[in-house]
Amino acid sequence: MVTVVVGTQWGDEGKGKVIDYLAKGCDIVARYQGGANAGHTVITNNKKHIFHLIPSGILYPDKICILGNGVVIDPAALLCEISNLEKEGVKLSKRFFISENAHLTLPYHKLLDQIEDKKRGRRKLGTTGRGIGTSYTDKYARLGIRVVDFLNEKVFREKLKISLKLKNYLLKKYYEEKVYNLEKISREYQTYRKKIKGYVIDTSLYLNQALRKKKNILAEGAQGTFLDIDFGTYPYVTASNPIAGGACTGLGIGPTKIDRVIGVAKAYTTRVGRGPFPTEFKDEFGEKLRKLGNEFGATTGRPRRCGWFDAVLVKQAGIVNGLNSLAITKLDVLNSLGKIKIAVGYRYRGRKIGQFPNSFEVFSHCEPIYEELPGWKRELSGIKKYGDLPKESKNYLKRIEELTQVKISLISIGPGREDTILL
Ligand code: GDP
Ligand code: IMO
Ligand code: MG
């Protein structure tokens, strides 16, 4: 059985927490896209872990964790994460695997990502600077270096030489920046190769064999629906397909094998980086919610922009992901509020819009139409059953279900595993 877990907003919905919770009942957790731009937080026994590349199921000693072909892998970042986990006694051997077909993020991808974003000036995207867009660009330009190429020293050197010729020309002549040395990278990556080699397999084959043995697979999405290259707020998006469809192409499993798609949505909305955000708080309330929700990026530490729950967006996420259900996170962050708003539609140049507009021009001028609901003004910690939630919380959740047309299957009322209500 395959369950896809996908972000329904602009990332940071709490996918890491939900994956960690659901992983208990699964055999394999597999990341299908993105790279070290992700920051997935898992808290167990009061210890906080932030995973960038490693799947969020790694803390269970008996779960298999996989980086699929759709992920872009920065070997330096990956080895740093592996070493941190090993220091804590987490064993990865024989249970962590990397796809031969995944593409590498190399040092020049990171530098070029940062330079290019700066050069966009007023139209800067505010990328994470982790070389994501530049790695995927090379993948599609047929210039990328795959993990399987990396394992063969000769092939790696040959491909790297071609890439460096192009990248160094661009860096030197156009950007007037430092250039990269083939020998230096080759040497550095020689040590990475030795450390990574043992993890590399044909992950598509592995997953399909596991499915034949009736294993349960959790496909872990990074980023979120509105950062999707096709369905997000283009160009203010990431360079991959976080939507559920990305799980098939990013893991090499057929669409007929997907059984369930769970969308993770925060009880309000956040966004890091630039781009339109209709329900964003423009006043000091944004600061208040940022503090209440501790909304600072798990990868870059940047303050996250905060706003009310946008039902138009999550409804659209329900459609493009084919969501079976929603996991609502961070409900507890709203505990102290007297009134809570939900965007139920937009107003654009006097006209009402009930659906997410594909035009960036339209979306960036949309004013939210709000519905106001009473808050519960109560702590939720310790609640284990839906029935024990305050009636205002239940009303809020019910309204989210009605507006998004997706039913809720999980409610998170705190960052820990135990702060979870399963419906
Ligand atoms: P992800 O990228 O979707 O995995 O989300 P992040 O880890 O970047 O951000 C989610 C943040 O919210 C993390 O700091 C989590 O520990 C925290 N979190 C997750 N669920 C809850 C919740 O229900 N309540 C509270 N208060 N915090 C939560
Ligand atoms: P998780 O998996 C939130 C945002 C960046 C920027 C845009 C493009 O933790 O939810 P990129 O570096 O991908 O080219 O940046 O996407 N972004 C994220 N925002 N959560 C993430 O991942 C993100 N990954 C990228 O801030 O706006
Ligand atoms: Mg995150």
Side-chain angles (χ1 to χ4, degrees):
M1 171 160 180
V2 182
T3 304
V4 183
V5 176
V6 60
T8 61
Q9 295 155 324
W10 279 293
D12 302 330
E13 296 91 347
K15 299 175 293 294
K17 138 106 202 211
V18 172
I19 292 273
D20 170 70
Y21 181 81
L22 298 175
K24 196 169 54 179
C26 289
D27 304 293
I28 301 171
V29 182
R31 272 275 306 269
Y32 58 86
Q33 46 67 239
N37 51 348
H40 295 179
T41 314
V42 174
I43 298 178
T44 53
N45 305 325
N46 289 324
K47 176 137 186 41
K48 184 173 177 167
H49 293 265
I50 298 175
F51 301 117
H52 302 287
L53 279 161
I54 301 269
S56 302
I58 202 74
L59 299 177
Y60 293 93
D62 58 334
K63 308 297 174 200
I64 303 287
C65 286
I66 286 179
L67 292 183
N69 56 280
V71 178
V72 286
I73 300 172
D74 173 351
L78 176 64
L79 287 167
C80 176
E81 262 185 76
I82 292 178
S83 133
N84 287 339
L85 280 168
E86 280 174 345
K87 271 186 219 142
E88 286 174 32
V90 178
K91 297 213 168 45
L92 284 89
S93 162
K94 298 199 175 68
R95 67 181 199 93
F96 171 64
F97 301 111
I98 305 170
S99 166
E100 291 177 327
N101 290 0
H103 280 247
L104 293 190
T105 293
L106 289 147
Y108 49 83
H109 289 126
K110 287 183 269 187
L111 181 65
L112 283 165
D113 178 16
Q114 291 157 19
I115 296 174
E116 285 170 6
D117 207 31
K118 215 189 263 166
K119 291 275 181 205
R120 288 188 184 106
R122 207 165 61 76
R123 292 184 179 268
K124 173 182 153 83
L125 307 181
T127 73
T128 59
R130 297 298 190 270
I132 305 303
T134 41
S135 302
Y136 282 112
T137 300
D138 276 0
K139 171 174 173 174
Y140 288 98
R142 275 68 50 86
L143 265 176
I145 303 181
R146 306 208 292 185
V147 169
V148 68
D149 304 326
F150 173 47
L151 293 191
N152 182 322
E153 195 182 337
K154 192 161 157 270
V155 175
F156 177 64
R157 225 186 126 86
E158 248 172 58
K159 295 205 166 201
L160 185 63
K161 199 171 164 188
I162 299 169
S163 259
L164 282 182
K165 218 189 236 172
L166 290 159
K167 305 298 175 192
N168 280 343
Y169 184 83
L170 189 67
L171 283 165
K172 192 174 165 189
K173 304 275 187 201
Y174 186 68
Y175 291 125
E176 297 174 341
E177 280 281 345
K178 69 169 188 191
V179 292
Y180 287 94
N181 178 278
L182 176 69
E183 299 308 325
K184 201 162 158 242
I185 300 187
S186 296
R187 259 199 314 277
E188 186 185 342
Y189 278 65
Q190 170 89 5
T191 58
Y192 297 162
R193 178 179 303 111
K194 285 189 190 133
K195 292 182 181 166
I196 279 175
K197 209 166 71 187
Y199 299 118
V200 180
I201 62 164
D202 179 338
T203 51
S204 165
L205 187 69
Y206 183 93
L207 289 167
N208 283 290
Q209 280 170 347
L211 282 173
R212 275 203 292 280
K213 290 182 206 151
K214 304 277 176 240
K215 300 282 183 200
N216 285 328
I217 300 170
L218 263 186
E220 175 173 3
Q223 291 79 56
T225 303
F226 295 93
L227 288 172
D228 186 275
I229 187 82
D230 289 292
F231 291 96
T233 48
Y234 193 91
Y236 295 91
V237 293
T238 192
S240 66
N241 283 120
I243 59 163
C248 290
T249 54
L251 293 176
I253 50 179
T256 51
K257 301 287 192 290
I258 307 284
D259 297 279
R260 203 162 55 141
V261 183
I262 302 177
V264 185
K266 233 175 235 185
Y268 47 98
T269 313
T270 62
R271 174 165 206 167
V272 215
R274 311 276 290 265
F277 179 177
T279 64
E280 181 174 14
F281 302 126
K282 303 271 165 50
D283 51 17
E284 59 289 355
F285 192 69
E287 192 60 43
K288 181 177 166 176
L289 203 74
R290 184 176 304 128
K291 276 217 187 84
L292 286 171
N294 191 25
E295 294 296 353
F296 294 90
T299 296
T300 56
R302 290 179 291 177
R304 293 177 182 145
R305 299 155 64 192
C306 297
W308 293 118
F309 187 86
D310 188 332
V312 182
L313 292 187
V314 180
K315 182 182 175 193
Q316 167 79 355
I319 297 167
V320 297
N321 292 294
L323 293 185
N324 295 101
S325 69
L326 281 173
I328 300 290
T329 61
K330 304 192 94 160
L331 190 67
D332 55 300
V333 174
L334 308 179
N335 283 352
S336 62
L337 308 185
K339 285 194 172 100
I340 302 169
K341 291 185 190 179
I342 303 183
V344 297
Y346 306 128
R347 207 176 297 282
Y348 171 71
R349 300 198 197 288
R351 194 156 53 86
K352 265 192 184 174
I353 300 182
Q355 216 187 317
F356 174 71
N358 284 312
S359 157
F360 172 79
E361 176 51 33
V362 174
F363 188 63
S364 44
H365 289 99
C366 276
E367 288 293 328
I369 301 171
Y370 286 120
E371 205 174 279
E372 201 173 86
L373 282 85
W376 41 94
K377 303 214 71 136
R378 250 185 67 186
E379 283 294 313
L380 299 181
S381 58
I383 295 180
K384 299 281 174 217
K385 289 198 304 248
Y386 177 79
D388 295 340
L389 283 170
K391 81 170 186 312
E392 295 83 359
S393 318
K394 284 191 262 191
N395 277 342
Y396 183 62
L397 296 167
K398 213 167 100 231
R399 196 64 189 125
I400 288 178
E401 283 187 331
E402 284 165 4
L403 291 164
T404 60
Q405 294 173 13
V406 188
K407 68 174 180 21
I408 295 170
S409 61
L410 186 152
I411 300 158
S412 174
I413 52 167
R417 265 181 204 165
E418 61 292 351
D419 311 315
T420 313
I421 303 170
L422 202 59
L423 274 82

